Amino acid sequence: MSKGMFSDQHALSRRDLLLVAGTAAATLTAYSHAARAAPGPSNLVINDVKRDEDVFAYISRIKGGFDETTYRQVLGCANAFKEGDQTIAVAAENDTSRTNARALLARTKITDLDQHPLFEDDLQRLIWQTTDRAQQEKLKDWTMGQLKEFLLTKSEDEIKGVMYGLTSDTIGCVPKLMSNEELITVSQKIFNVMPGTKLGAKGYMGARIQPNSPTDHPDDIMWQVFDAFSYATGDIVIGTNPVDSTVDSVVTVERALKDIVDTFKLVDVIPWCVLAHIDVQGEVSEDFPGTVSTVFQSLAGTDDCNKIFDITNEKILKYARAKAGERYGLYFETGQGSEFTNGAANGVDMMVLESRKYGFSRAVGMELAKVQPKGAWLHVNDVAGFIGPEVFKSREQLVRCCLEDMVMGKLHGLTIGLDICTTLHMTVSLDDLDWCQDQIMPANPAYLIALPTKNDPMLSYLTTAFQDHVRVRDKFGFKVNDAMWDFYKRLGIVGKDNSYTSKYGDPLWVYYQYRLAKGDKRSKDAVYAEGRRMMTEVEARGVDLATGHGEKIWDLNPALATKVRGLYDDAKLSLWAELTPDFIAAVPSVVPVRTLSKDRNDYIAHPTTGETLSPDSIKAIEAIRASWKGDMPKGQIVISDGLNAKAIMDDGHLSPYLEEMRRLLGDAGVSVSDKNILVTSGRVRAGYRIGETLFADADPNTFRGVLHIIGERPGTMHHAYSVYITVAKGKRWSEKDIDHDMTKLVSNVADTALAPKEAAKETLTIIREIIGKDVNGSRRFG
């Protein structure tokens, strides 16, 4: 059995986190339910600032000495406004407070910041250990204002002569003092190049091909890579986000990616990666030698949050050491907001915590450098905008976040790329993303994500299309890594004069070249006929492939552009759809309840309202418990609208799953409540609260479980839902501390994706895994 997602470890993948994000609370939501119940501090007002006063003098004057909470608030107040900082009460109450906080910070000495960490844990200690002491000594008497001026006026060599002496907390405070234009100025100076390449070099801007599939189907993945190649896009990594993170499924995808790289003889040019939990990748590497290339992991900025990702400092450093002698190393993803949405921010603002992730990455890079003969191969992808509107809402905030993170990453010595992205429940549109790209590109990120269209067919979010790369390269003069550009010439997509050929935007041509490279002796017509059939099958599974172009070569072809707009419009309709009275009445043995969300707008704008049941609903749940009269079943089914009520209401979605699930559980001898609890405006944590109410008096040593069916983020043709599987012994339910770290899920369930009856079988398999029954591994293409 996999050591990853389906084990007792907390191995949440990016896919899992997004699904919990979209349905639980547009991410894992603010604090845990217990923490949210406790009163917290309010946002700080800073009106009265004395001349020449720094952060510490100000706190001492208003508090009579150092106060850690106020310290965190003052530094948070210096940030550009984001909703995530406001949630944990470290945002400025008004513009005057923000201006005053920045003035205090500018007058504060770097050494004083170093001596007052915002939060001390093992990660902070690792950052201290890997900060260059000699360079740090040069900076000890500088103020933050002086550091800002130095970064704006000095050369790259001079900046690199001191930047490794900056702690992550200090680097996290630098962008607080800068305008967008100043952030761009600094970012334009600093370039950290991947060894033996032009990746991350000045004037180069690459791509991570992201060939995601709603079902991890190898053909879906393969054809998206061919599609990327047809637009001369992709050079830093081919990285797939898996739906199924079992070892057998992951190795199937790894092999598909490896086959493409091997066939085109690109082993020394571009690595591949399946973005499962790092332990799953480690097991795949051990059991199937040679199938794993670059190794991936999401990082957080506190030990507490990294525990949710099931990682520690030492675990990641161990994986770095395991890369001894290899060309490729590690690939990390980060993003502002992951800590507070997991209840693990510890009162620290999002930007400083993001900087700590880069400090973690820098430390890992130093470990890699000891064991990789050609230099440390490590890069970071900042997934700004991935979580949702509780972190920030607008396109202007997205631009700001990306520029901040670029500077912080580069000052840590990292090769850093961006996922300039938005969720469908934010206010950033398809056109807004083009605007955001244009605002950010002068900062010269190392790379961007790349999809056939802006719309990810599996993750249900918007990011950069293959042809967006073509537009950005043309507008800003960026180049693709030289070795990969040479491949595009050999492939026939780019001519000797560096212009695109007639094969531009033709994935069939790329497939034909792939077959030739494999020694296929069939005629071109025969290979093309096979390719067309495969493309039709891929698109029927909901994976769009870009071909050709529109009026400009960076425009989607008109038919595909119309379809993408249609999916976007449908996503907005799905987001605001509500469970109808007729549907509710048609659910067998239904018990309708609702959360504290006043309406759909409240539910979307204030995620935590969807986690707590209304008083009347709690009474209804208690009535179900009372009706059992001491004969408590093993499980309860809960159904919620989530962010897409249509996913629950569409024909052929809910009923087949319920019927098959109840049949399978009955055959397995598992008793289930005959009631179906239907939650309006429900998020994942609402299911935990229901389970705690129902099973608080269960036998402390026997298992009880909740199956929570909930609509996923809209944005694809599938209108998919997920099933959150939470099984725990009675003792845990009675302690009322159930949260995401205990939950497994079956995702992307729809009549056009993972069939509901198949999803029921997966659900039962996972339940058996949780309680220790021996079962087979992968349920998909393994």
Side-chain angles (χ1 to χ4, degrees), residues 123-354:
L123 177 54
Q124 177 64 76
R125 287 184 280 275
L126 176 65
I127 291 168
W128 282 335
Q129 291 165 10
T130 51
T131 300
D132 189 298
R133 299 300 181 190
Q135 290 192 8
Q136 190 176 36
E137 184 68 18
K138 300 177 186 178
L139 305 168
K140 64 179 182 179
D141 293 326
W142 291 18
T143 66
M144 288 298 294
Q146 289 174 311
L147 176 60
K148 170 189 170 180
E149 188 63 23
F150 179 86
L151 295 174
L152 289 171
T153 59
K154 299 302 181 180
S155 68
E156 179 181 32
D157 286 345
E158 289 172 296
I159 291 170
K160 287 188 173 182
V162 300
M163 72 184 195
Y164 297 102
L166 296 170
T167 66
S168 296
D169 280 13
T170 300
I171 291 175
C173 288
V174 168
K176 299 172 190 282
L177 301 176
M178 293 184 176
S179 66
N180 284 11
E181 292 73 19
E182 289 170 331
L183 290 170
I184 290 170
T185 296
V186 174
S187 192
Q188 286 176 335
K189 291 184 177 186
I190 306 169
F191 296 92
N192 306 302
V193 184
M194 296 284 278
T197 76
K198 292 292 188 178
L199 296 164
K202 184 179 180 64
Y204 285 77
M205 200 283 295
R208 171 203 150 185
I209 303 171
Q210 184 168 290
N212 291 340
S213 165
T215 56
D216 291 340
H217 199 296
D219 286 354
D220 297 353
I221 293 163
M222 176 178 71
W223 275 94
Q224 288 179 82
V225 177
F226 296 158
D227 204 6
F229 288 174
S230 77
Y231 291 99
T233 295
D235 57 1
I236 194 163
V237 66
I238 306 171
T240 301
N241 297 90
V243 177
D244 183 349
S245 290
T246 55
V247 167
D248 286 348
S249 183
V250 169
V251 75
T252 299
V253 179
E254 294 268 16
R255 284 170 170 163
L257 297 176
K258 172 178 167 56
D259 174 66
I260 294 170
V261 172
D262 287 348
T263 300
F264 282 125
K265 294 181 171 53
L266 296 172
V267 174
D268 292 327
V269 177
I270 186 169
W272 66 90
C273 185
V274 177
L275 282 71
H277 186 272
I278 196 166
D279 287 342
V280 178
Q281 297 169 83
E283 189 167 353
V284 170
S285 182
E286 182 178 337
D287 294 347
F288 305 93
T291 58
V292 175
S293 182
T294 287
V295 174
F296 160 83
Q297 182 56 44
S298 293
L299 298 184
T302 66
D303 290 349
D304 291 339
C305 195
N306 280 319
K307 287 176 184 176
I308 296 172
F309 293 171
D310 188 29
I311 60 171
T312 61
N313 300 344
E314 184 52 37
K315 175 184 283 192
I316 300 301
L317 292 170
K318 180 179 178 181
Y319 277 111
R321 296 180 199 116
K323 283 291 183 178
E326 296 185 20
R327 165 129 171 102
Y328 300 119
L330 275 73
Y331 164 33
F332 296 139
E333 284 192 349
T334 69
Q336 290 192 31
S338 59
E339 294 81 18
F340 95 83
T341 54
N342 280 286
N346 297 290
V348 180
D349 67 87
M350 296 192 300
M351 194 154 63
V352 167
L353 291 178
E354 181 71 8

Side-chain angles (χ1 to χ4, degrees), residues 23 128 135 265 293-294 460 476 481 589 604 690 709 758:
T23 52
W128 282 335
Q135 290 192 8
K265 294 181 171 53
S293 182
T294 287
S460 301
F476 294 94
N481 185 36
S589 303
I604 293 169
I690 289 170
I709 304 162
E758 289 300 312

Side-chain angles (χ1 to χ4, degrees), residues 404-532:
E404 291 167 348
D405 295 352
M406 286 292 297
V407 167
M408 292 190 295
K410 288 188 173 189
L411 284 174
H412 278 91
L414 301 174
T415 304
I416 181 166
L418 297 173
D419 193 345
I420 305 173
C421 61
T422 179
T423 66
L424 274 298
H425 57 311
M426 291 172 67
T427 59
V428 182
S429 70
L430 289 163
D431 293 332
D432 287 337
L433 281 180
D434 290 346
W435 178 87
C436 291
Q437 291 167 7
D438 287 350
Q439 305 308 303
I440 295 165
M441 283 306 102
N444 203 165
Y447 63 98
L448 301 178
I449 294 297
L451 308 174
T453 73
K454 282 184 170 69
N455 192 14
D456 190 291
M458 185 270 277
L459 290 176
S460 301
Y461 82 123
L462 303 177
T463 183
T464 315
F466 297 153
Q467 283 164 274
D468 291 330
H469 282 261
V470 177
R471 183 185 72 83
V472 165
R473 293 196 300 250
D474 179 81
K475 182 169 183 175
F476 294 94
F478 290 138
K479 298 178 183 178
V480 172
N481 185 36
D482 291 350
M484 200 68 188
W485 192 251
D486 289 342
F487 164 67
Y488 293 135
K489 287 183 175 181
R490 295 196 306 274
L491 194 61
I493 302 299
V494 178
K496 293 180 180 179
D497 62 354
N498 290 317
S499 64
Y500 300 111
T501 71
S502 62
K503 305 305 181 184
Y504 170 87
D506 184 1
L508 274 171
W509 170 259
V510 178
Y511 179 63
Y512 177 55
Q513 298 303 308
Y514 166 80
R515 294 308 312 171
L516 289 177
K518 281 190 163 297
D520 196 329
K521 302 301 183 182
R522 289 177 296 168
S523 69
K524 180 180 176 182
D525 287 346
V527 174
Y528 266 55
E530 178 181 71
R532 289 189 188 95

